[in-house]
Amino acid sequence: MLNLERLRTLDALARHGSVGAAADGLHVTTSAVSQQMAKLEREVGQQLLAKNGRGVRLTDAGRLLADHAARILSQVELAQSDIEARRGQVVGEVRIGAFPTAARGLFPAAVSSLRRDHPELRVLSRELEPEQSIGAVVRGDLDLAVVLDWSNKRLPVPGGLAQAQLLDDAPDIAMPSGHPLAGRAEVDLEEFAEDEWVSWPEGEFCHEWLVFTLRSKGIEPRISHLAGEHHTQLALIAAGLGVCVAPRLGRGPVPDGVALVPVRQMMRRHVYAVWRTDADRRPSIRAAVDALRRAAGSEG
């Protein structure tokens, strides 16, 4: 009889590619991963891992069993969903992730309401960029993720995931209060062709969106400063070091010396939740989505 937890360990190794990454994904030690794999090899009577430089790789037998493990674990997820749905009780544990402004703008209200309305449900939350959190949902490291895309640049979402719209976020342009456009009711992005920009770190979806959007309007962006936190970006703006896109969700207090002006083209960030379709009937998932929708409604 194959042990389910050992199959889960093998599945994590296949998905993450290393013992260390699998241990992080499973929230266990590397030695626990190694021990589980050694026991699984004894159970099946075949070598599942082989040395590969300083790491390991799956053998042919390991890959074959990992494919079966992924299907078995998916069936287990479906069985758990059906059992939870039949009981109709919101219990157990739900792991959710969100990009920083959504975590700041939605999680306090959503998680508090889940704790109040469903005291037997444990909620674990973490901040992750959209691409990372979608990958975590696909791998099973997260049950639910809050992600975003833009009206002119969509985020690729793989098959097998369900979605629920939470809100549309209309960002403004933040600029020093002494900027020539600071007193305007609306602005066009083309008017900032000569300005320096403060942006998200390179490689993040929103940074790629900013570069794509400005170039589509014939502007080669002069990005001088990179910062992941919007509060840091606004502090740089207050110091007179450029302009930035300032989403409204989770914005919080705006420092002195910063002016916010809406964009005439009505840029929109679409904020939505995603989860695996094989977990669609879990009451805990439905409760979490409902709580996020209520939080999004109060935020809007």
Side-chain angles (χ1 to χ4, degrees):
M1 181 75 67
L2 292 172
N3 180 279
L4 189 61
E5 285 310 307
R6 286 166 204 153
L7 290 179
R8 199 180 301 280
T9 302
L10 175 63
D11 178 65
L13 262 171
R15 288 186 286 102
H16 292 287
S18 73
V19 172
D24 289 342
L26 294 169
H27 306 291
V28 298
T29 64
T30 54
S31 114
V33 170
S34 298
Q35 289 171 17
Q36 289 281 58
M37 290 304 302
K39 291 177 181 177
L40 185 58
E41 287 184 327
R42 288 197 295 272
E43 284 179 353
V44 300
Q46 296 191 57
Q47 184 179 1
L48 303 176
L49 296 179
K51 289 190 179 298
N52 184 31
R54 299 177 64 181
V56 295
R57 63 173 176 81
L58 292 179
T59 63
D60 290 344
R63 285 194 295 270
L64 176 64
L65 186 55
D67 289 341
H68 284 291
R71 290 192 291 272
I72 290 168
L73 293 170
S74 178
Q75 285 301 121
V76 169
E77 181 80 54
L78 283 170
Q80 290 175 333
S81 296
D82 286 345
I83 290 297
E84 284 189 30
R86 185 175 180 84
R87 284 182 5 200
Q89 297 176 336
V90 181
V91 297
E93 181 178 281
V94 63
R95 300 158 298 169
I96 59 178
F99 58 96
T101 52
R104 184 164 60 247
L106 301 179
F107 278 3
V111 175
S112 294
S113 70
L114 284 170
R115 177 177 291 182
R116 180 186 65 247
D117 298 338
H118 308 288
E120 294 185 48
L121 177 68
R122 185 184 184 212
V123 182
L124 304 177
S125 69
R126 61 189 297 194
E127 280 188 6
L128 283 174
E129 290 301 319
E131 303 97 323
Q132 294 174 307
S133 59
I134 281 184
V137 170
V138 170
R139 292 192 304 269
D141 297 334
L142 286 179
D143 298 305
L144 179 74
V146 180
V147 300
L148 69 91
D149 57 25
W150 296 81
S151 49
N152 64 332
K153 188 174 178 63
R154 308 304 298 216
L155 179 70
V157 176
L161 296 184
Q163 302 181 26
Q165 181 74 17
L166 297 179
L167 78 156
D168 281 349
D169 189 26
D172 302 313
I173 300 297
M175 65 197 78
S177 55
H179 193 283
L181 302 178
R184 292 269 295 275
E186 292 181 321
V187 290
D188 293 312
L189 284 180
E190 293 87 339
E191 296 179 89
F192 299 94
E194 301 304 318
D195 282 273
E196 294 182 81
W197 284 86
V198 178
S199 178
W200 298 268
E202 292 180 1
E204 289 191 7
F205 182 73
C206 287
H207 176 87
E208 294 175 357
W209 165 81
L210 178 63
V211 172
F212 168 81
T213 301
L214 292 174
R215 285 177 176 167
S216 71
K217 297 180 178 297
I219 303 170
E220 185 57 37
R222 300 171 57 209
I223 298 175
S224 300
H225 307 285
L226 302 175
E229 283 290 332
H230 285 284
H231 290 168
T232 304
Q233 293 182 7
L234 292 177
L236 293 168
I237 303 305
L241 299 177
V243 300
C244 75
V245 175
R248 297 175 186 176
L249 175 63
R251 180 184 288 166
V254 177
D256 293 338
V258 175
L260 298 168
V261 182
V263 180
R264 184 174 288 111
Q265 295 99 327
M266 295 299 289
M267 297 184 298
R268 284 285 188 272
R269 294 199 311 174
H270 306 301
V271 180
Y272 52 101
V274 299
W275 63 96
R276 294 184 306 283
T277 52
D278 57 14
D280 194 55
R281 296 183 63 196
R282 286 178 56 190
S284 57
I285 295 288
R286 289 297 170 186
V289 172
D290 288 344
L292 287 165
R293 279 177 165 154
R294 290 194 299 271
S298 63
E299 180 73 15

